[in-house]
């Protein structure tokens, strides 16, 4: 893991505090010097208890927030070099986001939701329809294209959100607790879909989760503890709690 070409995300000594700027009193140090790497083509899980800084880190990597100090490079581009427009284009064209709450537009059908990022890029209708159909079949929802989010199960809604996140063929997929609102079995299906998509679409994924099942599917697990990365390494079943090794 030496050259930049093999690394999708490089995070160096990242700090982010919330609250009273200038004074330390009352400030929350969400990230206190985080450094980590996400290798290209891998599914990387980010774990850590509530409040450990997972969402803060994902939002910074995704260009939704800016750090107090430190450096983030995504797909070879230092985010600090991008202005507002550059960041917007990065988020639109090179990063796909999946959130715990799905974030679908209620009045649009599944197919229309998946097509939104393509409309934003002014992709012609014919090409858009073909891509949407392909994505919906990729996530197993070809037969549900016309249903609105309210007419789909939670797991199906998250599948639509994943299809939408992949619409513009992003280099990086960022998912913040994508199974947080799903039951264990549906959550596993969504995680397995993410696992499959990383292989078939050649996308790199960074997924925050409390869910132990994803940890077994990930290529690598990063652990955040109180704003610091305390563990980093390729996934290994050795040293895992014994109940984690029963699948497969
Ligand atoms: N907008 C904000 N304003 C002030 N403090 C914040 C803000 N967002 C997060 N924090 C604080 O920063 C710390 C890290 O929060 P973050 O949301 O990154 O944690 P998390 O690991 O995603 O937690 P969870 O698993 O509950 O989603 C927490 O102490 C939180 O209270
Ligand atoms: Mg969070």
């Amino acid at each position: 893991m030496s050259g930049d070409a093999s690394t999708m995300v490089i995070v160096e000594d990242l700090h982010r505090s919330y609250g009273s700027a200038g004074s330390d009193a009352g400030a929350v140090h969400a990230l206190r010097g985080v450094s980590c790497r996400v290798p290209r083509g891998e599914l990387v899980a980010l774990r850590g208890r509530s409040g450990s800084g997972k969402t803060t880190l994902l939002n910074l990597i995704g260009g939704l927030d800016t750090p107090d100090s430190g450096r983030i490079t995504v797909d070879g581009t230092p985010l600090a070099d991008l202005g507002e427009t550059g960041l917007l284009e990065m988020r639109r064209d090179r990063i796909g986001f999946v959130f715990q709450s799905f974030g679908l537009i209620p009045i649009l059908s599944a197919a229309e939701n998946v097509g939104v990022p393509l409309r934003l890029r002014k992709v012609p209708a014919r090409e858009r329809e073909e891509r949407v159909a392909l994505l919906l079949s990729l996530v197993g929802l070809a037969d549900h294209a016309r249903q609105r989010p309210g007419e789909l199960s939670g797991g199906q809604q998250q599948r639509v959100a994943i299809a939408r996140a992949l619409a513009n063929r992003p280099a990086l997929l960022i998912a913040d607790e994508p199974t947080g609102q799903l039951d264990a079995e549906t959550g596993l299906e969504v995680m397995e879909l993410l696992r499959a998509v990383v292989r078939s679409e050649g996308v790199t994924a960074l997924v925050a989760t409390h869910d132990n099942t994803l940890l077994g599917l990930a290529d690598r697990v990063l652990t955040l503890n109180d704003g610091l990365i305390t563990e980093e390494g390729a996934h290994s079943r050795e040293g895992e709690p014994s109940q984690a090794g029963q699948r497969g």
Side-chain angles (χ1 to χ4, degrees), residues 75-200:
D75 203 11
T77 306
L79 296 191
D81 292 356
L82 300 173
E84 267 309 304
T85 312
L87 266 182
L88 196 121
E89 286 168 357
M90 162 76 79
R91 290 196 302 263
R92 187 191 63 193
D93 302 337
R94 288 154 82 183
I95 302 177
F97 291 94
V98 175
F99 302 100
Q100 180 173 346
S101 54
F102 319 139
L104 300 173
I105 300 171
I107 59 160
L108 299 184
S109 70
E112 288 164 341
N113 267 285
V114 174
V116 165
L118 300 169
R119 281 180 186 274
L120 290 176
R121 269 187 45 237
K122 302 193 167 35
V123 171
R126 164 78 79 81
E127 189 185 331
R128 199 173 67 226
E129 280 158 27
E130 283 174 6
R131 177 93 184 129
V132 166
L134 194 100
L135 286 160
L136 282 175
S137 60
L138 178 75
V139 301
L141 290 176
D143 296 338
H144 300 268
R146 304 171 89 111
Q147 286 165 245
R148 290 178 177 181
E151 301 162 348
L152 295 166
S153 72
Q156 288 171 337
Q157 289 180 61
Q158 195 60 300
R159 285 167 180 271
V160 173
I162 291 169
R164 180 185 56 184
L166 293 170
N168 285 329
R169 298 187 178 83
L172 177 65
L173 191 63
I174 292 178
D176 194 354
E177 302 201 32
T179 64
Q181 288 192 10
L182 305 175
D183 62 65
E185 198 176 324
T186 311
L188 178 60
E189 284 168 22
V190 165
M191 288 301 188
E192 284 173 339
L193 173 63
L194 284 172
R195 173 72 272 180
V197 147
V198 167
R199 290 212 175 94
S200 71

Side-chain angles (χ1 to χ4, degrees), residues 16-19 28-31 48-57 100 176-177 208 210 224:
R16 176 72 169 100
S17 296
Y18 296 108
V28 175
H29 298 278
L31 299 181
R49 57 184 181 72
S50 183
S52 59
K54 300 182 297 296
T55 296
T56 302
L57 179 58
Q100 180 173 346
D176 194 354
E177 302 201 32
H210 287 114
L224 259 177

